Amino acid sequence: MLAQHSFLAFLMMSFPTSLIKKFRSDIEGDYRCIGDEPLVLVGLMGSGKSALGKRLSVALSLPFVDSDTLVEEEAGITIAEIFELAGEARFREMERRIILTTLEQGACILSTGGGAFCNPETRAAIKENATSIWIDSSPDTLLSRIGNPASRPLLATGDPLKILTKLRKERAADYGEADLYLRTGKQSHRVAMKKLLKLLTDAGHVERLLPDSTR
């Protein structure tokens, strides 16, 4: 299991200044999170969970956690290698444990793997301890963002577009249990972030801060 001090050290890692500047350029205004629950991004691979999650962490000054990254850190190998050597069941076990540990850390932005929210135990823990947002896109948009499908174990068994279409259909009911829903397309990160922050603000999870001169 990932040692507690190692996990906390990961949470304390910050983005390089150059990345923070890049992420800030996609954020309009200043915001703060209301409450101390994690914000958990769920959805299929390629939906933008990591890209939006990193920007959201900068916007709200909260730690960013990627469950896939933590699984690879714990295992010392890639997710594709975990699938090949130990199978999907072993990966899901590691993923579930790491997500449950993350939920105990308090406010953060957690990006989960595509199948994480489909695990009943993991989904129940997220629903009880966090606010979940389903980040959704069409299968062809997902595929355009993924890059090399060979790096994704679930896409290596056939036509990637057909597999993504099938996965979305199969997982829609599970993703639909998320607290909030955001549909993204081929728009810029700046547009997607504006939609995400508005969604969270309207739902009462985020507050936009006014400039000092207008308070």
Side-chain angles (χ1 to χ4, degrees):
M1 176 180 290
L2 189 65
Q4 184 73 0
H5 71 275
S6 174
F7 187 87
L8 292 176
F10 183 88
L11 286 182
M12 294 172 63
M13 288 177 61
S14 59
F15 298 117
T17 303
S18 59
L19 270 184
I20 292 177
K21 183 177 180 180
K22 176 183 178 181
F23 295 158
R24 281 296 320 174
S25 69
D26 292 325
I27 302 164
E28 297 180 5
D30 296 311
Y31 299 81
R32 74 176 182 90
C33 189
I34 300 174
D36 57 3
E37 289 186 345
L39 297 176
V40 181
L41 306 183
V42 305
L44 282 171
M45 64 185 87
S47 60
K49 300 186 299 291
S50 293
L52 294 181
K54 291 173 182 178
R55 287 161 174 79
L56 188 59
S57 76
V58 170
L60 302 179
S61 298
L62 292 176
F64 172 73
V65 182
D66 186 302
S67 63
D68 282 351
T69 299
L70 285 182
V71 169
E72 291 184 337
E73 182 180 88
E74 176 179 323
I77 55 178
T78 67
I79 290 174
E81 291 170 327
I82 296 173
F83 268 69
E84 181 179 355
L85 297 174
E88 182 177 357
R90 173 57 177 159
F91 166 73
R92 297 301 176 193
E93 177 188 340
M94 297 173 65
E95 176 184 62
R96 177 184 58 80
R97 177 162 35 81
I98 282 174
I99 289 174
L100 295 183
T101 301
T102 302
L103 295 175
E104 297 173 355
Q105 308 303 311
C108 67
I109 308 301
L110 170 60
S111 171
T112 61
F117 203 63
C118 301
N119 178 286
E121 184 178 352
T122 303
R123 184 168 65 255
I126 291 174
K127 289 173 67 66
E128 181 179 354
N129 299 287
T131 295
S132 53
I133 307 102
W134 175 14
I135 310 296
D136 188 26
S137 287
S138 65
D140 60 323
T141 298
L142 296 173
L143 185 59
S144 70
R145 293 173 179 161
I146 287 172
N148 179 15
S151 65
R152 308 283 185 149
L154 293 181
L155 300 184
T157 58
D159 181 273
L161 183 58
K162 290 183 179 179
I163 293 173
L164 283 171
T165 301
K166 183 173 182 288
L167 283 174
R168 190 190 179 286
K169 182 177 181 179
E170 292 174 345
R171 295 177 175 180
D174 292 332
Y175 292 151
E177 292 191 30
D179 299 303
L180 300 171
Y181 174 81
L182 178 68
R183 174 81 174 192
T184 64
K186 295 183 178 180
Q187 71 264 42
S188 66
H189 287 135
R190 184 179 182 86
V191 172
M193 278 303 299
K194 185 175 181 178
K195 292 168 63 176
L196 176 57
L197 286 166
K198 184 179 186 305
L199 177 69
L200 290 168
T201 301
D202 290 346
H205 299 294
V206 165
E207 178 184 26
R208 183 164 184 171
L209 303 178
L210 297 175
D212 290 339
S213 60
T214 61
R215 289 178 183 174

